[in-house]
Amino acid sequence: MRISDLIKMGLRNLSRRKARTALTIIGMVIGTISIVVMISIGIGMNQTFKSQVMELGSLTTITVNRYADIMDEDGNYVDFREQKMDASLVEQISQIEHVRAVTPVIYKSMRMYSGKYEGYLSVYAMDCSTWEDFDFPGLSSGTYPTPENNKIIVFGEYAFDNFWKTTGRNYESTSLDPAVDKITMGFSPWEYTVSERKKEFRIKLDNNYARFEYTENYEYDYYAYMDIEYFEELWGKYCDTLTPADRKKAMKSLETYESIKINVDNIKNVSEVQDAIKALGYQTSSLMMYMEPMQETSNMLQMVLGAIGGVAMLVSAINIANTMIMSIYERTKEIGIMKVLGCLIKDIKKLFLFEAGMIGLMGGIIGIVLSYIASWAINKFGQPLFESLMSGMMGTGEESKFSQIPFWLPFLAAGFSILVGVISGYFPAKRATKISAIEAMKTEG
Amino acid sequence: MVNKEVEKVIVVRNAKKVYRMGTEQIVAVNDVSFEILKGEFCCLLGTSGSGKSTLLNLMAGIEKLTSGQIIIKGKNIPKMNETNLAKFRQRYLGFVFQSYNLMNSMTALENVEFPLVFKRVRTKKRKKLAQDMLVQVGLGNRMGHKPKEMSGGQQQRVGIARAFVAKPEIVFADEPTGNLDTKTTMEVMNLIQAIARENNQTIVMVTHDPRLASYADRIIHVLDGEIEKVEVLHDITDPEVYQRRVEEARAAAPKLSELESSADPKKKKHGHKGKKKAVQEMKAGSEQSSDQKTQ
């Protein structure tokens, strides 16, 4: 038989029993919808987790902190220990495979002055050549410092929001704008004593600053960043204004970094690099540590949801098999006639497999279309339900999508539904080929 | 007596078919041997249960032989696998059945096209062949009708068209007129004979009706699974007989188109009276009525 004849005949046979074909297809539609929607919810949840963790920072970043927490067996905080953080450690870490960038981080508290306003600000000093590797956000104004021109300080969206009047009685925070207000900066006055004979160290904010875009990431939104060499330069000037006793202490404080940040080339290698640093005797932290248990939870959730969908699919597979068996009983005589007229057995098999596969495909396609509608409805109206379901794990953002259908899912679902059809049609088809022509022709109908 | 120039299309040697019914063994065909020549109209005549239909099914490869040989066109039928057998049927065999065995969901044209579908003939070509065949059997104006919309005689003519459309060398006919009244029976028999003679095709017909056997060139009387006797009415190896038959066929050809007018479905559908009369006329009347019940 030609393929075109086979298709024509198969479609004709399906349309001959419209009601039954339609009912079987509906079964398949339900199976497909349940699988696609369940998978899409699993993917949506995973994405929600991921984006929420991403708000806390990049997933490929590992941090080695000066003060390492010591936990007991149950993961409760007991104590901390100080780790030796110096330039040689930075060098050692940069040798580890998969490390793309590594930078020491100095963290200092600074104070900002503008007329009768004062404000606190935390500043991170990092090697500005690595900023790009750490996925620093875009700028709303100014330019990033470069190793050639490093005298630029980059401020977060909310960095200037915590000013208060020094003359006022109550603490009342005020926002200032460096573009409008004249702002100067100095280091925190409480840590070291300034020599009485020297003028206090100040730098003016003029053209030497840039602003981050709003990122939803507090690490950028509330802090200021500068190049580590520039910072050392400023710190040196500041030290000159200190009393001789404090000057030595202050200079020495720069030798120990607050933390070291490491950027890994791929998310998959994060734990490998962490292990390598651990081997050097240092404790590390990364957001992947938070991700892993969440991913486990969401994987399990996906599996449970997938299994629910799978059960629906199984029922529709049985449904197809039943339809095909019924169809064979009805068409026993026809099959006999076909055999006597010289129809090859493999063509009879193909015909039944085609019919079963067609039911699967049609059910699959309709199911996919309806799945998109269902997915849209879940995202639109499912907010309250999912918020209550997921509140135990994490807060949900306003725009979280609970159901996401990635581009590959419809293709996978269509392929899968054909496969289910063909598999459930296989045994009925095999049975059809075994019908004896002589017996079949004695059958009435 | 048999001229060597005429091909032996079917050779049956010591064919034996045994059915097992529980512990009992029923011998349906017992050590039967015969030959059928190319272009011959052969009739297997016997009563119900004589094993004549079984013999036909064995020759067609629908049933498996217990022992012996059946050689058609030089091929040993019982030794063939299903695929080769199917291809063999496509190429050499046509079938006409008592109960027509048409596809009820298909029109007359599609039914006639059906064997060509399996032969992978292209749509246009097979439509043309089927149309020509239907015109030849006098159903040129019934092509779009479904079997249920036609009389028994018309249905059987569709069956005949289907059997002959692929121009098979051999056509097996199992009680082709068993469900038809006398008048239609004669029409159908004439039709089969005429088409077969025109193309020098071999007909193997199974019947219990001695009158139909008169159409045959050779009658093989089957009784209790064995051959009782073989009657040769026309020796087709005789050139004179052969020539006469060709002329007869040519003369019968125009008559075919006249069938059209006589094929009135209303008359045929309620043709039980005619059928009953025919039954009474026949010797093996009791058998006929039992056959009718089964249809």
Side-chain angles (χ1 to χ4, degrees):
Chain A
M1 263 175 113
R2 290 181 179 278
I3 289 290
S4 59
D5 288 325
L6 199 89
I7 291 170
K8 234 184 272 171
M9 210 168 142
L11 292 178
R12 168 192 231 144
N13 285 332
L14 288 177
S15 66
R16 255 163 73 194
R17 302 260 181 270
K18 283 194 186 67
R20 195 172 55 198
T21 305
L23 288 173
T24 316
I25 287 176
I26 288 171
M28 199 63 203
V29 167
I30 293 168
T32 311
I33 291 178
S34 53
I35 272 205
V36 171
V37 168
M38 290 302 171
I39 289 179
S40 78
I41 289 174
I43 289 168
M45 282 181 149
N46 211 2
Q47 285 291 329
T48 310
F49 286 153
K50 215 170 180 175
S51 62
Q52 278 165 355
V53 172
M54 291 276 270
E55 269 172 35
L56 305 174
S58 167
L59 285 175
T60 51
T61 300
I62 300 173
T63 313
V64 183
N65 285 309
R66 180 173 170 191
Y67 296 103
D69 294 340
I70 298 169
M71 309 284 191
D72 67 9
E73 283 159 1
D74 297 331
N76 298 315
Y77 175 82
V78 209
D79 199 1
F80 68 86
R81 66 186 167 91
E82 194 177 343
Q83 311 191 99
K84 195 166 180 289
M85 312 278 283
D86 54 16
S88 73
L89 178 63
V90 173
E91 182 58 30
Q92 267 179 303
I93 289 172
S94 66
Q95 302 299 320
I96 296 170
E97 205 183 346
H98 300 305
V99 171
R100 197 167 63 170
V102 55
T103 176
V105 180
I106 295 170
Y107 172 84
K108 287 288 177 199
S109 187
M110 290 188 84
R111 186 166 259 206
M112 297 188 288
Y113 309 90
S114 178
K116 48 192 171 182
Y117 292 98
E118 272 183 32
Y120 279 117
L121 180 68
S122 295
V123 174
Y124 285 107
M126 288 165 72
D127 183 353
C128 72
S129 61
T130 65
W131 289 15
E132 209 183 324
D133 292 323
F134 287 102
D135 292 328
F136 269 49
L139 299 178
S140 61
S141 71
T143 57
Y144 270 122
T146 60
E148 293 79 35
N149 177 23
N150 60 6
K151 293 183 172 53
I152 292 171
I153 306 169
V154 187
F155 293 88
E157 173 81 11
Y158 301 138
F160 300 106
D161 284 3
N162 273 317
F163 281 92
W164 72 89
K165 250 184 208 168
T166 46
T167 54
R169 253 182 241 162
N170 300 324
Y171 177 86
E172 215 177 304
S173 70
T174 313
S175 293
L176 294 182
D177 185 353
V180 180
D181 304 292
K182 276 182 185 165
I183 297 175
T184 58
M185 289 177 79
F187 289 98
S188 171
W190 314 118
E191 207 175 352
Y192 302 106
T193 321
V194 177
S195 167
E196 282 164 10
R197 287 175 299 167
K198 298 266 172 78
K199 199 185 158 212
E200 256 187 276
F201 170 78
R202 290 285 163 86
I203 46 167
K204 251 190 244 165
L205 283 189
D206 195 357
N207 283 326
N208 58 342
Y209 72 94
R211 301 285 304 262
F212 286 130
E213 286 173 351
Y214 176 57
T215 58
E216 284 185 11
N217 184 342
Y218 78 96
E219 276 194 337
Y220 297 116
D221 289 342
Y222 289 94
Y223 295 89
Y225 286 78
M226 65 173 84
D227 181 46
I228 197 156
E229 279 181 29
Y230 179 46
F231 179 84
E232 279 164 357
E233 190 186 319
L234 292 181
W235 188 256
K237 283 180 189 167
Y238 167 65
C239 286
D240 285 343
T241 68
L242 299 177
T243 58
D246 272 358
R247 187 184 305 166
K248 269 187 186 164
K249 264 199 268 173
M251 287 303 283
K252 204 162 171 69
S253 79
L254 275 199
E255 284 169 22
T256 301
Y257 305 125
E258 196 57 39
S259 64
I260 295 173
K261 279 196 172 218
I262 299 123
N263 179 259
V264 181
D265 57 2
N266 193 313
I267 229 169
K268 289 175 206 148
N269 300 323
V270 170
S271 52
E272 195 186 322
V273 174
Q274 273 186 291
D275 288 342
I277 297 168
K278 205 173 180 183
L280 295 174
Y282 286 86
Q283 195 172 313
T284 60
S285 70
S286 73
L287 286 174
M288 280 304 282
M289 281 162 53
Y290 302 101
M291 266 305 273
E292 268 164 16
M294 263 196 242
Q295 262 176 340
E296 267 168 38
T297 315
S298 98
N299 281 349
M300 214 170 75
L301 209 66
Q302 274 193 49
M303 258 152 70
V304 170
L305 293 174
I308 295 171
V311 168
M313 204 60 162
L314 186 70
V315 172
S316 45
I318 293 169
N319 201 6
I320 290 182
N322 183 42
T323 298
M324 294 316 290
I325 289 173
M326 285 298 294
S327 176
I328 284 159
Y329 279 133
E330 276 179 7
R331 280 150 63 185
T332 301
K333 188 175 178 179
E334 279 187 30
I335 294 162
I337 296 170
M338 284 166 70
K339 274 189 162 180
V340 171
L341 294 184
C343 184
L344 298 179
I345 280 180
K346 63 174 188 205
D347 283 338
I348 294 177
K349 204 171 178 178
K350 272 189 213 159
L351 181 69
F352 278 90
L353 286 181
F354 170 77
E355 285 176 32
M358 206 58 206
I359 290 177
L361 177 66
M362 287 199 279
I365 288 172
I366 298 170
I368 288 163
V369 171
L370 294 181
S371 297
Y372 273 99
I373 297 171
S375 171
W376 172 83
I378 286 171
N379 289 334
K380 179 107 178 156
F381 307 111
Q383 193 102 0
L385 174 71
F386 279 88
E387 254 162 24
S388 62
L389 271 179
M390 287 169 76
S391 58
M393 298 179 222
M394 266 199 123
T396 52
E398 273 301 301
E399 307 116 75
S400 338
K401 280 191 165 177
F402 306 106
S403 164
Q404 276 187 13
I405 301 180
F407 74 96
W408 49 264
L409 190 54
F411 296 101
L412 186 81
F416 187 61
S417 53
I418 295 176
L419 194 72
V420 166
V422 169
I423 288 174
S424 42
Y426 182 78
F427 288 102
K430 215 171 163 187
R431 195 175 178 149
T433 62
K434 288 201 177 123
I435 287 174
S436 141
I438 186 91
E439 289 301 319
M441 299 218 295
K442 280 180 190 161
T443 325
E444 276 304 307
Chain B
M1 176 168 146
V2 172
N3 193 324
K4 272 177 190 167
E5 281 167 29
V6 178
E7 185 190 350
K8 291 171 191 167
V9 176
I10 300 173
V11 179
V12 178
R13 279 196 206 117
N14 310 104
K16 191 169 181 178
K17 175 71 184 177
V18 182
Y19 289 110
R20 256 171 233 280
M21 299 282 235
T23 53
E24 223 178 317
Q25 288 195 341
I26 296 164
V27 182
V29 175
N30 193 9
D31 203 22
V32 168
S33 300
F34 59 88
E35 288 165 359
I36 297 169
L37 304 177
K38 184 172 168 64
E40 204 169 34
F41 193 137
C42 177
C43 181
L44 294 172
L45 185 66
T47 54
S48 177
S50 62
K52 58 188 193 307
S53 285
T54 307
L55 200 49
L56 188 85
N57 289 336
L58 289 171
M59 284 191 275
I62 299 172
E63 284 192 72
K64 285 275 170 238
L65 201 57
T66 310
S67 70
Q69 276 185 321
I70 294 175
I71 295 159
I72 302 179
K73 294 295 294 176
K75 296 260 167 64
N76 194 0
I77 297 299
K79 289 267 162 68
M80 284 171 113
N81 66 24
E82 286 273 9
T83 309
N84 287 337
L85 202 55
K87 285 180 179 163
F88 185 80
R89 283 188 194 128
Q90 287 175 6
R91 207 167 148 197
Y92 295 113
L93 306 185
F95 291 88
V96 181
F97 305 95
Q98 177 176 6
S99 52
Y100 325 129
N101 278 335
L102 301 176
M103 303 289 270
N104 287 328
S105 59
M106 294 181 172
T107 63
L109 185 66
E110 286 164 338
N111 264 296
V112 178
E113 269 185 64
F114 213 32
L116 301 176
V117 169
F118 304 131
K119 268 184 107 172
R120 300 176 61 86
V121 178
R122 293 206 175 274
T123 317
K124 257 190 185 167
K125 192 180 169 195
R126 68 170 189 244
K127 204 153 246 166
K128 175 90 177 45
L129 284 170
Q131 279 168 349
D132 290 349
M133 205 62 224
L134 277 168
V135 169
Q136 204 178 341
V137 300
L139 289 174
N141 58 351
R142 291 268 191 298
M143 288 188 194
H145 289 234
K146 297 245 169 103
K148 288 272 154 74
E149 300 159 4
M150 288 188 278
S151 70
Q154 287 171 328
Q155 286 188 50
Q156 192 57 298
R157 275 190 275 158
V158 174
I160 290 165
R162 184 179 67 182
F164 283 96
V165 72
K167 300 261 181 293
E169 281 194 34
I170 304 156
V171 173
F172 291 111
D174 190 357
E175 302 271 12
T177 59
N179 289 346
L180 303 174
D181 60 49
T182 319
K183 187 166 174 267
T184 322
T185 295
M186 294 311 152
E187 283 171 9
V188 165
M189 285 310 299
N190 283 328
L191 193 58
I192 292 176
Q193 195 181 41
I195 298 172
R197 282 191 182 174
E198 204 176 337
N199 299 309
N200 195 24
Q201 283 155 311
T202 310
I203 307 286
V204 181
M205 183 179 76
V206 162
T207 186
H208 62 269
D209 186 346
R211 291 183 314 160
L212 296 185
S214 62
Y215 282 91
D217 302 317
R218 181 195 296 254
I219 305 170
I220 298 171
H221 295 262
V222 185
L223 188 66
D224 298 333
E226 288 176 28
I227 293 181
E228 199 184 13
K229 63 174 177 185
V230 179
E231 258 182 279
V232 179
L233 302 183
H234 310 101
D235 181 6
I236 65 159
T237 56
D238 184 341
E240 226 175 272
V241 173
Y242 186 80
Q243 190 56 38
R244 195 170 62 238
R245 280 185 34 167
V246 171
E247 276 161 20
E248 271 176 20
R250 278 189 193 138
K255 275 187 215 157
L256 287 175
S257 48
E258 288 164 25
L259 275 170
E260 195 81 17
S261 52
S262 69
D264 184 355
K266 275 179 200 163
K267 221 163 99 189
K268 294 282 158 56
K269 261 184 188 167
H270 308 286
H272 286 296
K273 259 186 194 169
K275 208 181 261 178
K276 268 181 190 161
K277 257 183 210 164
V279 170
Q280 282 158 6
E281 281 169 28
M282 285 168 193
K283 270 188 198 168
S286 58
E287 195 208 37
Q288 168 76 3
S289 55
S290 71
D291 273 0
Q292 269 184 338
K293 272 173 203 161
T294 57
Q295 59 117 330

